[in-house]
Amino acid sequence: MAVILKYLIAGLVRYWLIHIDYWQTIANRVEIATPLNSWKRLIEGVYLYGHNINPYEGDSFHESPIMLVLFYYLMKRIPFILPALFTVLDLLTAYLLYRTSKAFINMFKDSQDKKLEEVSEESKNMLLNDSQLKEASEYVLSVYLFNPYSVLNCVAMTTTVIQNLLVAASLWGASTGHRILACVFVAFATHQALYPVLLIVPIAILLAEVNKGCHKCSYIKTLLVFVLCWGFLIYISAYIMDGSYEYVYDTYGFILTVPDLKPNIGLFWYFFTEMFEHFRLLFVCAFQINALALYVIPLTLRFKKEPVLLATVLVALSTIFRSYPCIGDVGFYMALLPMWKHLFTFMQQKFIVGCAFIITSALGPTVWHLWIYSGSANANFFFGVTLSFATAQIFLITDLLFAYIKREFTLKHGTSRQVDGKPAKLVLR
């Protein structure tokens, strides 16, 4: 009953905010809407498509053709249902994350039972019981439903709502062992925003563990199904655009080359505004490698036994370093963090990170107003806030990873520390 009440309250809040007078202001905020997910740009693309004008010929529309056709028919036939549709999709995302966390809890419990013999006697009180594990799913649901980042993202009716749903569905499919579902949904998410391609690594590991077969064969099957699904989506999109693949440059190319430098909460826009043009290609490649490839191999090698943690970290890192991030992306990975609430005891930066999130969330709109409307600030002020916001996220992720390593070490070696057979102590001199 309590879970149903949460859904009801969260749904009513979203639906009500969509219909208030300030909705247009929310939908146009730079922290929420980007050139990739903006509702305003989506309407413009649909309008051009409806008048037989290629929406990709200009510089205003960068969604996939599949999304274009979907919303064309929705706006043409049942436009009145769109606010309710976005609300339902966001609630469905919360539900899928809830089910994913449930499946992960069962996996974590089995893993904990198998490693029981390796746990130090004095650390056995750190093992999690059923009630503690059950709480994690409730927190996942609550954090997504009532996180202001997620709420505002839904209220602005950005297409990030759909991206979050696709990513959540792919994680749920992987955690329950449904390879085709997981690959289809992650292919859809990749086709829309490119960066979710990173998730194929933890999803392949997760499917191999859940299905308990030959790991190498499972990896190959997962990769093959994903590539086939993604290729089919690219072909369907080209078919929609009368056999032309020119849309690829205005979707994937737009994401990778970052031509639109409108301010957002990311790190690209200010850097490339100030850079000399002849250095642009070098640094675009460096930034995109950092976002798409740099962390996958080392993190996979270290956390291959925890694919859900690996997925959480890769989603977070791609959010921080992608070319056009928004707070909807941040709200999504924050909802995954309660699955690791047992690590919070080992985290050292919780207070600093929490304060940084609150302060930057308040300062961002304030500094934007001072810069754009009052003229008493400049771009440096706003970029300083976004840089602090990104730094806080990096602190959060690194602290979470170190907390996992600390807990793993403590479980195996115990809490006492000895040097030469005697209790260790720090002496200040």
Side-chain angles (χ1 to χ4, degrees):
M1 189 65 183
V3 173
I4 296 175
L5 186 62
K6 288 180 182 178
Y7 283 117
L8 184 61
I9 294 173
L12 289 174
V13 167
R14 284 163 166 78
Y15 191 75
W16 171 69
L17 287 174
I18 291 174
H19 290 87
I20 63 174
D21 295 337
Y22 296 102
W23 176 82
Q24 198 68 42
T25 302
I26 295 172
N28 291 329
R29 290 297 310 174
V30 293
E31 300 90 350
I32 301 171
T34 71
L36 288 176
N37 70 357
S38 170
W39 174 252
K40 184 178 180 180
R41 291 185 182 235
L42 181 60
I43 291 176
E44 185 172 348
V46 167
Y47 177 83
L48 293 173
Y49 182 76
H51 287 76
N52 297 318
I53 301 172
N54 185 354
Y56 296 105
E57 288 182 352
D59 191 37
S60 60
F61 185 75
H62 306 286
E63 278 287 354
S64 71
I66 295 175
M67 196 75 68
L68 173 67
V69 171
L70 173 64
F71 277 94
Y72 170 73
Y73 285 107
L74 286 174
M75 292 181 187
K76 184 178 180 181
R77 299 184 179 181
I78 46 174
F80 57 88
I81 205 175
L82 287 170
L85 177 64
F86 273 91
T87 301
V88 170
L89 291 179
D90 212 36
L91 297 182
L92 182 57
T93 302
Y95 175 75
L96 290 174
L97 289 177
Y98 177 71
R99 298 303 302 175
T100 301
S101 63
K102 285 279 189 183
F104 162 69
I105 284 168
N106 294 330
M107 294 172 56
F108 185 83
K109 191 173 185 303
D110 293 340
S111 176
Q112 183 175 261
D113 293 340
K114 289 178 182 178
K115 297 178 181 178
L116 197 58
E117 295 180 356
E118 301 176 9
V119 177
S120 171
E121 191 65 35
E122 62 179 336
S123 298
K124 286 189 174 179
N125 61 337
M126 293 171 53
L127 297 174
L128 303 179
N129 55 43
D130 291 341
S131 63
Q132 290 174 316
L133 291 170
K134 186 179 179 181
E135 288 177 356
S137 295
E138 303 293 337
Y139 287 130
V140 167
L141 180 64
S142 299
V143 168
Y144 189 83
L145 288 177
F146 301 107
N147 188 334
Y149 296 157
S150 302
V151 173
L152 291 174
N153 179 62
C154 178
V155 170
M157 297 202 296
T158 67
T159 55
T160 303
V161 172
I162 298 173
Q163 181 192 327
N164 288 345
L165 174 64
L166 295 172
V167 174
S170 66
L171 292 176
W172 171 75
S175 64
T176 53
H178 295 93
R179 176 177 285 108
I180 294 178
L181 279 179
C183 292
V184 166
F185 283 119
V186 79
F188 266 109
T190 302
H191 186 61
Q192 182 187 359
L194 188 60
Y195 293 100
V197 69
L198 297 173
L199 287 176
I200 195 60
V201 176
I203 283 175
I205 298 172
L206 197 54
L207 286 168
E209 288 191 4
V210 173
N211 294 327
K212 297 179 181 178
C214 172
H215 280 206
K216 289 184 179 179
C217 295
S218 179
Y219 297 155
I220 294 171
K221 287 180 183 178
T222 301
L223 183 60
L224 184 61
V225 174
F226 168 73
V227 171
L228 288 175
C229 292
W230 191 11
F232 180 72
L233 292 173
I234 293 174
Y235 172 77
I236 289 296
S237 296
Y239 177 79
I240 292 171
M241 303 309 296
D242 298 324
S244 173
Y245 287 88
E246 292 181 0
Y247 80 91
V248 172
Y249 180 78
D250 290 295
T251 52
Y252 300 150
F254 183 82
I255 294 170
L256 292 174
T257 59
V258 203
D260 191 324
L261 298 179
K262 181 181 178 181
N264 54 59
I265 62 170
L267 302 174
F268 278 72
W269 67 273
Y270 186 84
F271 194 87
F272 289 103
T273 299
E274 300 294 328
M275 181 184 296
F276 291 113
E277 191 62 27
H278 53 278
F279 289 123
R280 180 180 174 84
L281 179 60
L282 170 65
F283 282 96
V284 163
C285 292
F287 271 56
Q288 295 294 4
I289 289 172
N290 182 65
L292 283 167
L294 189 61
Y295 305 104
V296 176
I297 294 176
L299 287 175
T300 301
L301 292 175
R302 179 60 184 85
F303 299 102
K304 60 184 178 181
K305 295 182 180 179
E306 293 290 353
V308 179
L309 177 62
L310 179 62
T312 303
V313 172
L314 289 178
V315 169
L317 289 174
S318 67
T319 295
I320 298 167
F321 296 115
R322 67 175 56 194
S323 50
Y324 297 102
C326 69
I327 60 172
D329 301 315
V330 179
F332 180 82
Y333 82 74
M334 288 182 70
L336 298 172
L337 297 180
M339 286 193 288
W340 306 97
K341 61 186 290 292
H342 56 279
L343 300 180
F344 292 174
T345 306
F346 295 88
M347 294 175 67
Q348 296 181 329
Q349 312 292 341
K350 297 190 295 290
F351 179 75
I352 295 174
V353 169
C355 290
F357 268 91
I358 294 171
I359 292 170
T360 52
S361 297
L363 274 181
T366 304
V367 173
W368 177 263
H369 181 83
L370 293 175
W371 173 25
I372 300 299
Y373 298 102
S374 298
S376 54
N378 55 42
N380 297 320
F381 287 72
F382 186 74
F383 179 68
V385 174
T386 60
L387 184 62
S388 300
F389 187 61
T391 303
Q393 295 179 75
I394 294 169
F395 270 55
L396 174 62
I397 298 307
T398 53
D399 204 16
L400 181 69
L401 293 177
F402 278 123
Y404 173 81
I405 295 171
K406 290 175 190 174
R407 184 177 184 274
E408 191 180 52
F409 181 87
T410 304
L411 283 175
K412 187 174 182 179
H413 299 283
T415 55
S416 62
R417 300 289 177 265
Q418 293 185 343
V419 176
D420 298 329
K422 297 179 182 180
K425 60 180 180 179
L426 291 174
V427 179
L428 299 177
R429 294 182 178 179

